[in-house]
Amino acid sequence: MPLQLSTELGSIHVTDHCIAVIAGSAALDCYGLVGMASRKQLKDGIAELLGRDNYTRGVEVRREQEKLHIDLHIVVSYGTKISEVAHNIQSKVKYVLNNVFDLQVEQVHIFVQDVRVSM
């Protein structure tokens, strides 16, 4: 179900896919992030590293009682402080969605799927 925003000029319908693209793009701008991880684990439990061209991979948008929740499945760079990377991603995603769509994001959940050496 698309999100509906009303303005003085009319209404705007924003799909969850669009919100996921903006959230994924904002996350990929953060330092310490190697890439987004698939929510589906490989057979041996190692997270699959996905390319940067599909911003919706690893992003799930949920609405719970008219509140927006974003789940991000990520791969972080080895040697970075995971809690700082996660906090920076949470802040950036909330900030961007607030500025682009004037959305109030209730929570941004970070799921660290893997740690990789970035090249």
Side-chain angles (χ1 to χ4, degrees):
M1 170 183 270
L3 178 69
Q4 186 171 354
L5 305 171
S6 297
T7 66
E8 63 275 354
L9 299 175
S11 63
I12 302 168
H13 300 273
V14 182
T15 64
D16 287 348
H17 179 77
C18 184
I19 294 170
V21 168
I22 299 296
S25 175
L28 287 172
D29 284 341
C30 294
Y31 176 77
L33 185 69
V34 175
M36 303 303 285
S38 173
R39 290 174 290 194
K40 300 173 186 172
Q41 293 293 314
L42 295 175
K43 215 174 201 183
D44 59 356
I46 298 172
E48 175 187 1
L49 182 63
L50 299 170
R52 291 181 176 257
D53 52 332
N54 189 351
Y55 295 120
T56 60
R57 295 282 177 122
V59 181
E60 184 179 347
V61 177
R62 295 180 288 117
R63 290 200 201 109
E64 296 177 3
Q65 300 172 356
E66 299 301 319
K67 295 181 181 174
L68 197 60
H69 295 257
I70 309 288
D71 295 340
L72 297 168
H73 299 262
I74 64 169
V75 178
V76 297
S77 176
Y78 176 79
T80 59
K81 190 171 180 182
I82 294 173
S83 61
E84 284 298 315
V85 172
H87 178 38
N88 289 342
I89 292 170
Q90 288 172 325
S91 298
K92 175 86 176 210
V93 168
K94 283 179 110 174
Y95 176 79
V96 168
L97 286 174
N98 186 28
N99 282 344
V100 172
F101 293 123
D102 198 24
L103 292 177
Q104 296 301 317
V105 178
E106 178 74 16
Q107 294 178 340
V108 177
H109 302 278
I110 304 292
F111 299 92
V112 179
Q113 300 288 95
D114 199 2
V115 177
R116 298 265 173 103
V117 177
S118 60
M119 308 237 173

